Amino acid sequence: MRSIVLALVISVGSVAALEARPIRTNTPGTGVFIGTGLVSQILCEESSQVGSTLSGCTLLGDFRYTPATHWVLGVRAPLYVEREVSHQGRGWSRSGVGDVELSTKYRFFRQVGPWFDRHAAIEVGAKLPTGESRIEDGSLPATLAHRLAPGTGSTDYFAELIYQQGQGRFVWGGGLQYRRNGTGEEGYRFGDVARLSFDLEYIAFPREYKTPGKEVFLLLEGALVHRSDDEFVGAAISTGGTELLLAPGVQHIASEQMLLSLSLQFPVWSDLELQSIESDWSLLVELRFAF
């Protein structure tokens, strides 16, 4: 976290102020001092397998409430999901509301010194089957049909251990997450996911700090993601595998309350099963606002 560099940006008392953070990687930070924060994201991505392409965009709303400096309560909602599938010369599309995710983060470690800041947290949460998950066309393979739907119809759980450290103009950290997916629509179950993520950040501007604010950060984030096989009515489908993803990005603190981010993610290595859906690219645009 950049609280040493940005110490004067954080408001004193109960007034919320914005804190810079990674774009795709989780952070032990609370995002605001004491108060509320709102994140809006547009995520567009494309993935593929032999003979098929899955693409789409999602409008996400993420509400965060910080009752104390070491606790964060979150609600993440895909407000609108639009997806398209191209398979053997035919096309399908779906749109609607996605599944809501609830989470609680607890920062259990914090150490601050001259121009450095170290902290760690744990976050647990659940995804609820609130989105549109019914399968409208049985002519699509199950692996594509269930990814085309805005929701999964399942209740999923996750836990993540997160660490981050800032030293001068550099910030680095990462997290280890495990997601346990439940059984959803028509007996389909997405494979569990283990994710090891990292981020490296550099404060590019301003070159000399006279007053805090207007910072520009350059980021390189990454994730090593392993997915287990999906299951359909109890039978495994060869959709598992491992991918290494990298995501360069840029972030600008426009004001004490507003933060803008842009991140492009792409795969650099993969070891996937026959029916796996391989990531092609992912573009994320983000606006954060603290109340």
Side-chain angles (χ1 to χ4, degrees):
M1 193 178 71
R2 310 172 183 109
S3 59
I4 300 301
V5 177
L6 306 178
L8 296 179
V9 178
I10 307 301
S11 298
V12 177
S14 62
V15 180
L18 196 63
E19 226 177 52
R21 65 178 298 280
I23 304 172
R24 296 176 183 265
T25 309
N26 206 344
T27 171
T30 59
V32 293
F33 180 60
I34 296 177
T36 58
L38 181 63
V39 182
S40 60
Q41 297 177 330
I42 297 177
L43 175 65
C44 294
E45 54 192 343
E46 181 179 284
S47 54
S48 60
Q49 61 178 196
V50 177
S52 306
T53 301
L54 173 65
S55 60
C57 290
T58 302
L59 173 62
L60 288 155
D62 193 341
F63 178 79
R64 297 275 165 163
Y65 172 61
T66 307
T69 56
H70 54 285
W71 284 101
V72 183
L73 306 177
V75 179
R76 182 177 175 85
L79 304 174
Y80 182 75
V81 181
E82 184 171 285
R83 291 180 180 147
E84 297 180 354
V85 163
S86 174
H87 176 66
Q88 296 181 349
R90 293 184 58 190
W92 291 261
S93 64
R94 288 285 302 276
S95 61
V97 177
D99 294 336
V100 170
E101 192 172 274
L102 308 177
S103 64
T104 300
K105 183 193 298 182
Y106 174 66
R107 183 168 61 186
F108 59 85
F109 169 76
R110 182 77 182 276
Q111 185 179 50
V112 179
W115 289 95
F116 78 84
D117 189 357
R118 305 184 184 103
H119 54 169
I122 186 169
E123 184 170 28
V124 296
K127 183 187 73 63
L128 307 179
T130 58
E132 299 179 17
S133 59
R134 69 187 185 280
I135 304 304
E136 297 180 339
D137 192 335
S139 62
L140 262 177
T143 55
L144 295 174
H146 288 272
R147 285 170 171 79
L148 180 62
T152 67
S154 65
T155 300
D156 310 332
Y157 302 94
F158 66 89
E160 184 170 12
L161 183 64
I162 319 143
Y163 175 80
Q164 194 176 65
Q165 177 172 333
Q167 186 81 39
R169 287 184 174 269
F170 288 93
V171 181
W172 61 91
L176 179 61
Q177 183 191 85
Y178 186 80
R179 177 180 289 266
R180 173 68 176 178
N181 293 322
T183 301
E185 198 73 28
E186 298 185 354
Y188 195 92
R189 179 178 176 274
F190 288 93
D192 295 346
V193 181
R195 177 186 297 267
L196 176 64
S197 58
F198 69 88
D199 81 288
L200 175 63
E201 309 166 37
Y202 177 70
I203 306 173
F205 301 103
R207 301 310 301 172
E208 295 184 10
Y209 268 93
K210 296 182 179 179
T211 58
K214 308 297 183 181
E215 288 89 354
V216 175
F217 297 86
L218 303 180
L219 300 91
L220 178 63
E221 297 177 276
L224 183 65
V225 183
H226 176 75
R227 294 181 174 85
S228 302
D229 288 343
D230 294 357
E231 296 179 3
F232 188 31
V233 197
I237 307 174
S238 57
T239 56
T242 305
E243 289 184 303
L244 177 61
L245 308 169
L246 289 182
V250 62
Q251 189 175 81
H252 174 52
I253 299 181
S255 70
E256 290 188 5
Q257 293 178 293
M258 187 177 296
L259 175 66
L260 304 171
S261 303
L262 178 67
S263 172
L264 176 64
Q265 181 176 270
F266 50 86
V268 294
W269 175 83
S270 63
D271 180 18
L272 302 174
E273 300 291 341
L274 181 63
Q275 298 185 61
S276 296
I277 310 294
E278 183 177 9
S279 301
D280 293 333
W281 56 266
S282 169
L283 179 66
L284 177 61
V285 180
E286 181 182 85
L287 169 65
R288 291 182 172 264
F289 191 83
F291 296 95

